[in-house]
Amino acid sequence: MKVLLINGSPHKNGCTFTALSEVAKTLNENSIETEIFHIGVKPIGGCVACAGCSGKGQCVFNDGVVNELIAKAKEADGFVVGSPVYYASPNGSLLSVLDRAFYAGKNNFVHKPAAAIASARRAGTTATLEVINKYFTLAQMPLVSSSYWNMVHGGKPEDVMQDLEGLQTMRNLGRNMAWLLKCIEAGKQNGIELPQNEFNNKTNFIR
Ligand SMILES: Cc1cc2nc3c(=O)[nH]c(=O)nc-3n(C[C@H](O)[C@H](O)[C@H](O)COP(=O)(O)O)c2cc1C
């Protein structure tokens, strides 16, 4: 089983990465494979609502990160999305990636457990977590929680290393994710099938 950890920060080895690494280390200790996927520093455009992805499972803009993430999501069993807090929200590039990856490639995420984590110098973390969690709940993904809010604090990785409770929260998140993945796998082995949900009704509050 494999968890894909998405580092939404422009800093490849910054605070968000430090927090994600703590989750990954704990997942590894619990026999779960991991990969940290960095979205990079190139400008990333948002979804242009062209609907060109419809039925294709890929974004029409083959500009790297988004379709790469969609492909990696197919092979993953669970996700952790990490974001630095920018103006009390996830950073803009990460939101562009998530809008496009979930719109074009939602099927690769559905029913797989996920967690959001946030890194901030001081504030805006719970608002950031709320935004990321909404991608998961719209895709029927079970949310994995921890023993406190999924956040670390700092302006540089050394600060995060001093946030002992933040790191503890990351480790407990890793343990909870590993446990849930194993429960889902045990369910599969014992004939528990995915729910067959219905999607016929789509109304825009018109009628
Ligand atoms: C454009 C910008 C906006 C930011 N806004 C906030 C904020 O609203 N609240 C906060 O506590 N930190 C804010 N920060 C600081 C970062 O969230 C914080 O340093 C974070 O831990 C950096 O993570 P990283 O090293 O993974 O990029 C902001 C940083 C930038 C560059």
Side-chain angles (χ1 to χ4, degrees), residues 69-139:
L69 173 59
I70 291 172
K72 283 184 185 288
K74 188 168 188 188
E75 306 307 322
D77 302 291
F79 302 91
V80 180
V81 176
S83 180
V85 172
Y86 283 6
Y87 294 96
S89 280
N91 64 309
S93 299
L94 176 63
L95 288 176
S96 291
V97 168
L98 293 178
D99 280 357
R100 289 168 55 199
F102 274 78
Y103 207 69
K106 188 164 90 177
N107 288 345
N108 294 356
F109 295 90
V110 169
H111 288 136
K112 297 176 180 177
I117 69 162
S119 174
R121 206 178 61 74
R122 288 188 75 80
T125 37
T126 54
T128 298
L129 295 175
E130 286 260 321
V131 174
I132 300 173
N133 281 339
K134 284 175 180 128
Y135 291 91
F136 305 149
T137 50
L138 212 76

Side-chain angles (χ1 to χ4, degrees), residues 5-153:
L5 301 102
I6 300 162
N7 178 8
S9 168
H11 300 131
K12 191 171 185 204
N13 298 307
C15 300
T16 308
F17 170 81
T18 306
L20 288 172
S21 300
E22 197 72 5
V23 185
K25 188 182 76 181
T26 313
L27 283 163
N28 295 156
E29 285 165 5
N30 285 275
S31 314
I32 306 289
E33 258 185 78
T34 54
E35 177 180 347
I36 298 183
F37 178 79
H38 183 222
I39 68 165
V41 290
K42 287 192 189 144
I44 300 171
C47 176
V48 297
C50 67
C53 58
S54 179
K56 296 196 184 78
Q58 280 216 323
C59 182
V60 289
F61 296 117
N62 216 349
D63 52 4
V65 183
V66 173
N67 286 335
E68 195 184 339
L69 173 59
I70 291 172
K72 283 184 185 288
K74 188 168 188 188
E75 306 307 322
D77 302 291
F79 302 91
V80 180
V81 176
S83 180
V85 172
Y86 283 6
Y87 294 96
S89 280
N91 64 309
S93 299
L94 176 63
L95 288 176
S96 291
V97 168
L98 293 178
D99 280 357
R100 289 168 55 199
F102 274 78
Y103 207 69
K106 188 164 90 177
N107 288 345
N108 294 356
F109 295 90
V110 169
H111 288 136
K112 297 176 180 177
I117 69 162
S119 174
R121 206 178 61 74
R122 288 188 75 80
T125 37
T126 54
T128 298
L129 295 175
E130 286 260 321
V131 174
I132 300 173
N133 281 339
K134 284 175 180 128
Y135 291 91
F136 305 149
T137 50
L138 212 76
Q140 310 179 70
M141 302 165 79
L143 295 188
V144 181
S145 56
S146 185
S147 46
Y148 206 65
W149 309 109
N150 297 346
M151 60 183 68
V152 293
H153 288 277

Side-chain angles (χ1 to χ4, degrees), residues 150 163 184:
N150 297 346
D163 180 2
I184 291 171

